[in-house]
């Protein structure tokens, strides 16, 4: 049997010319090889044979797939996190959302590669007029992971901002920020073009990576409005690329605010959604939070 971990792609290639040769490999050797591949490869390797499954499911393989500070993260969970193996913990963090600190921040892992994902709950955001009861109200919703969401009653000036420390994210990773929301049955004035920005700051310096689209100048909250504008003109079609909302698997809507690259430098990312030009009255927007996750797609595979 030969085992090869392809360096560039971290793909694991395994072929068994004679399965009895498996016993010639020590557990430490196999675990070391698998720990330098990926969670998907480790799951594939566990299906080779019973003996290989023991190695592939070991803590020595799965602990490197977890963030280096995973114990600190789970210690901040508002509810206890139990697990019997590092593989079980990995998939628990992928399949569910830990509420951290005061319960207004959620954490999970990207199943494909173990990259960190966070969502800032509405209570962690800065929303213009959020504490004025005639403009906004805070209400619990069964479909939300947070204790309360923000419901817009009536404003002309709509501005939602969030800030997040980049040291809490996975390094050398491109992230995207998404406004997560729904629209109530009684809504008004939400078929507008909004402006967004995502900026990363290092100290007093703002970092703009020309290789990434850090700005999406125009986005729409309502899919129908975005679709209509996509067909109006070539100019408008260019403006709304990337600004069309999508329905998430959890039932909420999301629209991308922008992307940024997180290197190893200490800093902060500033995210903003606003409609402050037209100043029409607006109501019915329900804000759950801002989701920050790696841009790479996710893979589904057997454990």
């Amino acid at each position: 049997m030969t085992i090869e971990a392809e360096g560039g792609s971290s793909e694991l290639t395994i072929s068994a010319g004679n399965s009895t040769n498996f016993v010639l490999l020590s557990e430490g050797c196999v675990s070391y090889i698998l720990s330098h591949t990926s969670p998907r490869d480790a799951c594939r390797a566990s299906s080779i044979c019973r003996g290989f499954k023991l190695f592939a499911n070991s803590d020595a393989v799965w602990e490197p797939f977890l963030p280096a500070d995973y114990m600190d993260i789970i210690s901040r969970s508002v509810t206890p996190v139990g697990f019997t193996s590092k593989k079980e913990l990995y998939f628990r963090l992928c399949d569910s959302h830990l509420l951290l600190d005061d319960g207004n921040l959620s954490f999970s892992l990207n199943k494909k590669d173990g990259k960190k994902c966070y969502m800032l709950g509405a209570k962690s955001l800065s929303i213009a007029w959020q504490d004025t009861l005639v403009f906004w109200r805070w209400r619990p919703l069964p479909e939300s992971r947070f204790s309360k969401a923000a419901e817009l009653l009536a404003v002309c000036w709509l501005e939602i901002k969030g800030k997040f420390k980049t040291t809490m994210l996975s390094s050398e990773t491109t992230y995207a920020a998404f406004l997560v929301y729904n629209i109530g049955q009684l809504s008004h004035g939400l078929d507008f073009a909004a402006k967004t920005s995502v900026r990363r700051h290092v100290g007093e310096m703002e970092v703009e990576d020309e290789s990434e689209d850090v700005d999406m100048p125009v986005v729409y909250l309502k899919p129908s409005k975005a679709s209509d504008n996509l067909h109006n003109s070539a100019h408008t079609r260019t403006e709304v690329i990337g600004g069309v909302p999508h329905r998430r698997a959890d039932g909420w809507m999301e629209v991308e605010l922008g992307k940024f690259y997180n290197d190893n430098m200490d800093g902060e990312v500033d995210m903003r959604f606003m409609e402050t030009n037209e100043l029409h009255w607006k109501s019915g927007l329900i804000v759950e939070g801002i989701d920050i996750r790696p841009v790479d797609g996710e893979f589904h595979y057997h454990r």
Side-chain angles (χ1 to χ4, degrees):
M1 178 173 65
T2 61
I3 304 177
E4 179 184 359
E6 300 176 3
S9 62
S10 297
E11 289 289 329
L12 182 69
T13 302
I14 304 171
S15 60
N18 182 352
S19 61
T20 59
N21 289 337
F22 168 74
V23 298
L24 300 179
L25 291 173
S26 68
E27 177 179 359
C29 176
V30 176
S31 297
Y32 178 81
I33 294 171
L34 291 175
S35 68
H36 284 74
T37 58
S38 70
R40 182 175 60 167
D41 291 329
C43 289
R44 287 172 171 172
S46 68
S47 64
I48 293 174
C49 64
R50 183 176 300 175
F52 215 97
K53 184 174 183 178
L54 292 175
F55 293 176
N57 291 345
S58 69
D59 286 352
V61 170
W62 285 89
E63 181 150 19
F65 299 148
L66 292 164
D69 58 346
Y70 75 92
M71 288 300 295
D72 175 65
I73 293 172
I74 63 177
S75 71
R76 294 159 50 199
S77 174
V78 298
T79 57
V81 181
F83 57 95
T84 58
S85 69
K86 300 301 170 58
K87 181 179 180 180
E88 179 188 345
L89 176 61
Y90 181 89
F91 281 104
R92 177 168 182 177
L93 296 177
C94 293
D95 296 337
S96 60
H97 305 281
L98 292 188
L99 292 181
L100 306 181
D101 303 332
D102 57 0
N104 293 318
L105 176 68
S106 80
F107 169 82
S108 63
L109 293 179
N110 186 339
K111 189 177 293 185
K112 174 188 174 184
D113 51 21
K115 300 286 189 179
K116 298 177 183 177
C117 307
Y118 285 94
M119 183 188 285
L120 292 163
K123 279 285 187 181
S124 297
L125 304 177
S126 175
I127 303 175
W129 313 108
Q130 65 186 39
D131 296 323
T132 305
L133 297 181
V134 296
F135 297 141
W136 291 88
R137 70 173 174 178
W138 296 91
R139 52 180 294 207
L141 294 173
E143 63 269 26
S144 175
R145 70 187 67 177
F146 301 108
S147 60
K148 289 185 179 180
E151 182 179 10
L152 173 60
L153 300 179
V155 295
C156 292
W157 183 288
L158 178 59
E159 186 174 24
I160 301 170
K161 297 185 291 185
K163 291 185 177 182
F164 200 77
K165 292 186 178 299
T166 56
T167 52
M168 295 176 63
L169 301 170
S170 299
S171 61
E172 299 179 354
T173 301
T174 300
Y175 277 89
F178 300 83
L179 178 68
V180 181
Y181 66 98
N182 263 329
I183 295 177
Q185 292 183 345
L186 299 177
S187 64
H188 176 75
L190 298 180
D191 53 348
F192 54 79
K195 296 294 184 69
T196 73
S197 69
V198 171
R199 289 284 190 272
R200 191 168 62 87
H201 302 269
V202 178
E204 299 299 321
M205 178 179 65
E206 182 177 286
V207 178
E208 294 187 5
D209 187 343
E210 293 181 354
S211 66
E212 300 293 341
D213 293 327
V214 296
D215 277 320
M216 289 195 308
V218 177
V219 297
Y220 294 89
L221 292 177
K222 284 192 171 183
S224 58
K225 179 65 176 181
S227 300
D228 291 345
N229 280 274
L230 279 170
H231 294 93
N232 281 343
S233 69
H235 174 68
T236 306
R237 187 180 303 116
T238 301
E239 281 191 315
V240 300
I241 289 177
V244 179
H246 301 280
R247 178 72 63 182
R248 295 158 52 104
D250 59 9
W252 290 86
M253 298 290 293
E254 69 176 18
V255 66
E256 186 178 315
L257 304 180
K259 299 183 179 71
F260 64 97
Y261 180 74
N262 186 42
D263 52 23
N264 292 317
M265 300 180 69
D266 188 4
E268 189 174 61
V269 60
D270 176 62
M271 303 156 288
R272 185 172 300 185
F273 173 95
M274 69 200 85
E275 198 294 287
T276 58
N277 292 324
E278 298 297 332
L279 299 180
H280 299 308
W281 284 102
K282 312 165 186 66
S283 64
L285 176 65
I286 303 171
V287 179
E288 186 183 33
I290 292 180
D291 200 10
I292 307 170
R293 64 177 189 263
V295 298
D296 292 334
E298 204 167 277
F299 289 86
H300 300 279
Y301 42 84
H302 298 293
R303 304 181 192 176

